[in-house]
Amino acid sequence: MRIGLVGTGRIGAFHAGALARHPEVEALVLADADGQRAARVAGALGAEAAPTVDALFGHALDAVVIASATAAHAELIGRAAAAGLPAFCEKPIALDLPGTLGALHAVAEAGTELQLGFMRRFDAGYRAAREAVAEGRLGRLHTVRAASSDPAPPPAGYLPLSGGLFRDCMVHDFDIVRWVTGREVVEVYATGSDAGPAMFREAGDVDTAAALLTLDDGTLVTATATRCNGAGYDVRMELAGELAQLAVGLDERTPLESVEPLGPPPPGKPWPGFLERFGPAYEAELDAFVGLVRGERENACDGGEALEALRIAEACEWSRRERRPVRLAEVPAV
């Protein structure tokens, strides 16, 4: 199998390494807006570097992996669809609903496959939680708590291009809440704080946010996120039901310290970032994509799933700006 990969930044280079190691990938062609960076990554992996993205699409490829800057995602999805190629794309499809719907229309018209990079669906803990809920081991689920905390803010130049904390970061929580619970969000109420570094205010973004989501069966979900969690990278979910409760992401590396006399010791080596925490999940999602291209597996996260997560993020942004609850029915789905 010949796979082309666009974007060789941090996550793109990680994906390139995973694909280079995959037994079913015979050839890997890399491209980047920075051609020298693509050449460096390709050289380290024994892969081929195309001088431009146009040149990459000129190769005889079986599939495309898109890990470029977010602003280019929708166009690249459209190019892959027009070429009849299945595509894997890092989230989001686009930073707004019109761009997302346009890309999804191109995929539907071409009849190709699009898998989105919501890697938490491939994490062992989240998969165990989904199984526990589906089997009824928690009883009636009444409360879910989700948290995503980055250890340090991104570069200032990234913020205006990110789509904001709800679309860029918390969209992972919104997707995984739907996937683990099997329910849909019907209403959100969200707020945010820009009391941290000035660059967030200058970008019209927030560094910390919280959202209350109501699911279609009445389950209540709280989702929080921050860019300023100096203790380390912390992504967790707690699910509480009438019979039991469980936690995802609670282990010896969780950057959380108990002040109780009988509490566990502080973590000796907190998670430093997303690639370390979710490395196996990133590899598993690409393995699933290879299986999809080979016709051996179903699509684990198609464009429609990504659209629903974005609609929740959009509703949260509206709620924050307008200071009111927002029904998901207010956010266009087509």
Side-chain angles (χ1 to χ4, degrees):
M1 179 183 301
R2 291 178 58 86
I3 292 184
L5 183 146
V6 182
T8 54
R10 188 180 181 192
I11 188 62
F14 186 93
H15 286 334
L19 291 167
R21 293 188 297 272
H22 199 287
E24 300 295 340
V25 179
E26 299 168 352
L28 181 63
V29 184
L30 310 183
D32 193 288
D34 181 344
Q36 292 183 342
R37 181 167 67 178
R40 287 195 301 271
V41 175
L45 296 172
E48 182 179 349
T52 64
V53 174
D54 287 343
L56 178 140
F57 275 97
H59 282 70
L61 301 174
D62 297 303
V64 175
V65 171
I66 300 167
S68 62
T70 297
H73 285 186
E75 178 191 356
L76 291 169
I77 289 170
R79 290 190 68 172
L85 296 173
F88 172 95
C89 184
E90 275 299 322
K91 63 80 197 166
I93 293 173
L95 292 178
D96 57 22
L97 283 168
T100 298
L101 293 170
L104 293 181
H105 178 73
V107 171
E109 283 286 298
T112 55
E113 292 281 2
L114 172 64
Q115 180 182 327
L116 267 292
F118 284 103
M119 77 292 185
R120 295 186 196 180
R121 294 181 177 220
F122 296 88
D123 177 74
Y126 284 107
R127 295 180 77 87
R130 173 181 162 93
E131 181 179 325
V133 172
E135 293 178 354
R137 299 205 300 266
L138 278 64
R140 182 185 68 86
L141 190 65
H142 52 74
T143 307
V144 178
R145 306 175 191 93
S148 292
S149 302
D150 287 332
Y158 173 78
L159 294 178
L161 308 175
S162 71
L165 190 58
F166 292 111
R167 300 184 189 95
D168 180 55
C169 177
M170 295 180 74
V171 71
H172 279 292
D173 296 293
F174 304 148
D175 175 72
I176 206 64
V177 163
R178 294 181 62 247
W179 189 74
V180 167
T181 65
R183 313 301 308 193
E184 297 295 341
V185 175
V186 296
E187 185 176 82
V188 310
Y189 189 69
T191 188
S193 170
D194 61 4
M199 63 181 181
F200 289 95
R201 293 185 291 280
E202 293 166 359
D205 196 5
V206 295
D207 60 79
T208 303
L212 173 63
L213 316 177
T214 302
L215 304 187
D216 56 12
D217 64 347
T219 300
L220 297 181
V221 179
T222 58
T224 62
T226 184
R227 302 284 199 185
C228 305
N229 194 58
Y233 183 75
D234 188 11
V235 170
R236 283 178 285 128
M237 173 182 275
E238 299 173 6
L239 300 105
E242 291 182 335
L243 297 180
Q245 61 180 345
L246 53 80
V248 178
L250 185 61
D251 59 25
E252 62 182 8
R253 299 192 67 182
T254 303
L256 181 68
E257 184 174 351
S258 173
V259 295
E260 297 296 334
L262 300 179
K269 190 179 180 182
W271 293 110
F274 63 92
L275 286 180
E276 295 82 3
R277 166 68 177 84
F278 288 109
Y282 280 116
E283 296 221 15
E285 70 177 359
L286 286 177
D287 181 63
F289 177 63
V290 170
L292 174 66
V293 175
R294 288 171 56 84
E296 299 169 350
R297 298 181 64 167
E298 297 293 323
N299 195 330
C301 186
D302 63 21
E305 297 288 285
L307 173 61
E308 291 309 308
L310 178 63
R311 291 180 66 232
I312 299 167
E314 288 287 321
C316 286
E317 187 60 36
W318 294 2
S319 178
R320 180 183 76 87
R321 291 186 181 278
E322 299 176 14
R323 296 184 176 274
R324 67 175 178 91
V326 175
R327 302 284 295 179
L328 259 291
E330 299 178 49
V331 184
V334 293

